Amino acid sequence: ASDDLARLDNLNTQTLLATLRERYGTDTIYSYCGDIVSAVNPFKGLPLFGEDVMKGYNDCVRGERPPHLYAQADEAYRALVRTGQSQCFIISGESGAGKTESTKLVMRYLISVCGHGGAPGQLDRKIIQVNPLLEALGNARTKMNRNSSRFGKFIELKFDRRGSIIGAQISSYLLEKSRLVSQGAADRNFHVFYYMFAGLSAERLAELSLDADPYSYRYLSGEEGGGGRQDGKRDAAQNGGQYEELNECLATMGFSASERASVYALLAAVLHAGQIEFKTGDAGDDGAVVENGEALRRTARLVEVPEAALEAALTSATSQLAGGEQIRRAYNVETARDCRDAMAKAIYDRLFKWLVMRVNRLLAPANPMAQAGYIHILDIFGFENFARNSFEQLCINLTNEYLQHLFTMHIFSWEQEDYASEGIPWTAIDFVDNKSCLDLFVQRPLGLLSVLDEEAMFPKASDDSLLDKLHRECLEHPNFQKGGRTEPRAFAIA
C-alpha cells in the first residue's frame, strides 16, 4: 500500500479507507496525505517510539524512512532552522484517536533533537512535565476514551537563532466546566479528584474534611456522576501512582509545598460545595436557605471566606439602585442549586487557569530578546456525539468542524486550484464542503451563536424566546430546519 495517500491512482473515500485498513493490518499506523500525517490508533504497544527510532529520523530526508510523526516533527524543526520561519502542527481527530499521545510524541522529539538554551535538562524536563499536569486537571474518562482531553491547548515552543529551545507558553481553551457537576453514563469527572482520594494520606483527608470514599460526593457519585464505583475500585492503585506523578510534576514545575496544599484544598472545597443542599425557608416566600450547614462551613473554611457571606451569595442577589440603596432578592431552591454549581465551576476554572499561568511564568525564556522563532502545536479536543450533548460539546464539535473544513480545503480544493493554475490535467474530485453549515453558526449578525449571545442579555429571555428569534432570523438558511408537528418547539441543523 502507498505511503502517501495523495498518490493513489483513484483518490476517493473508499480507496483511502481501504488503504488505511490494509496498512493498519500490518501495524503500519502512519500514512502521509501530502504534507499531512494520518495516524490510526493501534490500541496496543508498538516498537515505533523508542530512542533508536527517534534517532533514525534525525535530519532524515522525507521518503527515506516510513511515515512517522517524528519525520513530520524533524521536517518542521529543520524548516525553522533553515528559513527562520515559525512552524505549526494541528492535531485533530475523534475522541480516542490518539491526539494527546501524538502531541507528547511531537514535543518529545523536538526537545530531544534541538538541545536547550538553559540549565542542562531542567527546561526540557519542565516542558515534558506540562502534559501530565494539565491532563490531571483537564482530562477525564468518557464512554469512548479513558483519557479524553476536555479542553483545547495551544503550545508555543520558543527557539533562539541557533535552533535551541529556550522556553514555552501554553494557552488553554474551552475547559469543559459542566463535567465538574454532571457527567453522562459511563463518564467520569476530571482525573485529579480520583488521584487525590487514592493518594492523600488519611491524615490529610481528615484535614480537608474529606471521607475516604470519593463516591460519597455528589459530583463524583456513581448515580449522578457516571463512571461506576467498580471501575473506580479497580483503578485505585493506578490512581495512587498518578497522584505521585502529579505531585512530582508540581514540584518539578516549581510549585511550593504551600501552593500544592492550596491546590488540594480548593479541589476539596469544590466537592464540599457540591454537598450543600437547600430548602425553602420559613419567611413565607420561596426564598432558599442552606439545609446542611456542615457542608457550608467546610466549603467556607477551605476557600477562606466568612460562612455567612458564602450563604448570602448562594441564596440571594443584591442589586444597587441609582440612589445607592441596595435591594436583596432571594433565590428559590432551584436557582440556589444553580448558583452553587456555578460557583464550583468558577473555582475549578480559576484554579486551572492559575496553574496554566504559573506554568507559563516558569517556562518563560530567561532572555526574551534571544527568541527568534516558534513551533506551535494545537491539540484540540476530540469530536464526540453523546446521547445528550452540552453546549460545551457543541462548541467542541464546531471547532472540529472548522478544522475539518481546513483539511478539506487543503487536500482537495486548494490542490485542485494549483493543478488548474499550472495547467496539469486532473479529474475533479467531489467532496462535502461544510462551509454553509459553519456560517449558520458563526455569521454575524444573524448566526446562531450571535442570536444566542444577544438573547442571553435580556433578563426575561427563555428557551421559547430564543427559538422564536431563531425561527425569524435563520429559517431561510438552507441548513436550518424548523421542528415538525411532533416537536414544534425544536429546530435542527443539517
Side-chain angles (χ1 to χ4, degrees):
S2 174
D3 280 350
D4 192 340
L5 303 177
R7 296 180 180 176
L8 292 173
D9 293 335
N10 186 11
L11 183 59
N12 56 50
T13 302
Q14 288 72 31
T15 55
L16 283 172
L17 292 176
T19 303
L20 289 173
R21 186 180 299 111
E22 181 182 347
R23 294 173 65 80
Y24 186 76
T26 61
D27 288 337
T28 307
I29 63 172
Y30 293 116
S31 305
Y32 291 126
C33 188
D35 55 2
I36 295 172
V37 173
S38 169
V40 185
N41 193 337
F43 293 103
K44 63 180 180 180
L46 293 175
L48 299 176
F49 311 108
E51 294 291 335
D52 292 341
V53 177
M54 196 181 299
K55 291 177 182 177
Y57 284 92
N58 192 343
D59 207 11
C60 174
V61 177
R62 180 165 176 155
E64 289 182 352
R65 293 183 62 81
H68 203 294
L69 284 174
Y70 292 159
Q72 202 82 336
D74 189 79
E75 187 176 342
Y77 176 69
R78 303 302 167 190
L80 171 71
V81 174
R82 184 177 66 255
T83 67
Q85 292 183 337
S86 295
Q87 307 293 309
C88 183
F89 285 87
I90 298 177
I91 300 176
S92 176
E94 278 193 318
S95 181
K99 297 179 299 301
T100 299
E101 294 304 315
S102 294
T103 299
K104 294 178 189 176
L105 290 171
V106 169
M107 291 179 63
R108 180 178 166 215
Y109 183 88
L110 291 171
I111 290 170
S112 71
V113 77
C114 69
H116 46 74
Q122 290 301 310
L123 179 61
D124 305 9
R125 188 180 178 200
K126 288 180 180 178
I127 294 174
I128 291 295
Q129 293 281 34
V130 165
N131 279 310
L133 173 59
L134 295 184
E135 283 182 29
L137 282 95
N139 286 26
R141 178 186 296 186
T142 69
K143 186 176 181 180
M144 295 177 61
N145 185 357
R146 292 176 62 91
N147 187 33
S148 177
S149 296
R150 308 318 301 164
F151 72 106
K153 61 178 177 285
F154 184 66
I155 304 168
E156 292 181 297
L157 299 178
K158 304 180 180 184
F159 298 82
D160 62 15
R161 288 179 176 79
R162 298 174 301 167
S164 296
I165 190 166
I166 59 172
Q169 181 169 331
I170 298 166
S171 301
S172 64
Y173 303 94
L174 281 176
L175 178 67
E176 190 188 28
K177 299 185 292 293
S178 62
R179 175 170 296 273
L180 185 72
V181 301
S182 176
Q183 306 92 39
D187 279 16
R188 301 270 291 274
N189 211 313
F190 293 105
H191 292 325
V192 67
F193 292 108
Y194 308 98
Y195 298 171
M196 182 171 69
F197 280 96
L200 286 176
S201 66
E203 180 183 3
R204 182 57 177 150
L205 286 172
E207 290 175 359
L208 298 173
S209 302
L210 290 172
D211 298 332
D213 181 12
Y215 300 99
S216 63
Y217 293 91
R218 176 182 288 109
Y219 291 163
L220 304 179
S221 66
E223 290 74 26
E224 293 184 37
R229 292 172 179 260
Q230 294 305 316
D231 284 347
K233 291 177 180 178
R234 286 196 297 268
D235 293 343
Q238 181 181 355
N239 289 339
Q242 296 287 358
Y243 169 81
E244 297 298 333
E245 182 181 6
L246 174 59
N247 269 344
E248 181 184 346
C249 290
L250 289 168
T252 301
M253 299 301 298
F255 289 87
S256 66
S258 63
E259 287 174 329
R260 297 198 295 272
S262 295
V263 169
Y264 294 115
L266 287 174
L267 293 172
V270 166
L271 295 180
H272 287 307
Q275 300 301 94
I276 299 173
E277 195 47 86
F278 304 91
K279 65 179 181 179
T280 302
D282 300 327
D285 56 14
D286 292 333
V289 297
V290 172
E291 185 174 15
N292 50 343
E294 185 59 31
L296 179 73
R297 283 189 289 274
R298 291 174 176 179
T299 306
R301 176 176 66 85
L302 291 169
V303 298
E304 301 181 8
V305 300
E307 182 182 333
L310 179 58
E311 181 173 14
L314 293 176
T315 58
S316 63
T318 302
S319 55
Q320 187 166 336
L321 301 180
E325 180 184 359
Q326 290 188 338
I327 297 179
R328 179 180 176 275
R329 178 172 58 86
Y331 293 150
N332 60 28
V333 170
E334 183 179 358
T335 304
R337 288 172 180 165
D338 290 342
C339 185
R340 172 201 64 199
D341 291 344
M343 181 191 72
K345 289 188 285 187
I347 291 173
Y348 194 85
D349 185 53
R350 294 287 184 89
L351 173 61
F352 187 82
K353 288 178 178 176
W354 175 76
L355 286 168
V356 172
M357 179 197 72
R358 283 295 313 276
V359 165
N360 285 335
R361 189 182 301 169
L362 292 164
L363 297 182
N367 178 16
M369 298 302 294
Q371 190 172 302
Y374 305 87
I375 291 182
H376 303 103
I377 305 171
L378 176 63
D379 177 15
I380 201 69
F381 18 48
F383 181 95
E384 293 200 62
N385 183 19
F386 300 109
R388 182 177 181 273
N389 295 285
S390 67
F391 178 74
E392 288 163 319
Q393 189 63 49
L394 171 66
C395 294
I396 289 170
N397 290 351
L398 179 61
T399 304
N400 277 277
E401 288 290 344
Y402 255 103
L403 290 177
Q404 178 64 31
H405 176 69
L406 173 65
F407 291 144
T408 299
M409 296 300 291
H410 188 85
I411 294 173
F412 294 110
S413 183
W414 295 338
E415 286 289 335
Q416 292 182 141
E417 289 176 6
D418 288 343
Y419 277 36
S421 65
E422 296 176 15
I424 300 174
W426 57 279
T427 301
I429 300 172
D430 293 330
F431 60 91
V432 177
D433 188 350
N434 60 356
K435 184 66 164 59
S436 175
C437 189
L438 294 175
D439 287 342
L440 173 58
F441 277 95
V442 301
Q443 66 186 0
R444 293 180 180 274
L446 300 179
L448 189 149
L449 294 180
S450 294
V451 172
L452 174 61
D453 196 36
E454 179 184 271
E455 190 67 12
M457 292 188 293
F458 292 100
K460 295 185 178 181
S462 65
D463 290 349
D464 286 341
S465 65
L466 172 63
L467 185 62
D468 290 338
K469 183 169 288 188
L470 289 173
H471 284 168
R472 289 197 308 271
E473 306 294 353
C474 303
L475 192 57
E476 298 302 318
H477 195 283
N479 296 101
F480 186 90
Q481 296 178 3
K482 191 174 181 179
R485 291 181 179 179
T486 57
E487 295 182 286
R489 307 305 296 170
F491 69 93
I493 298 171

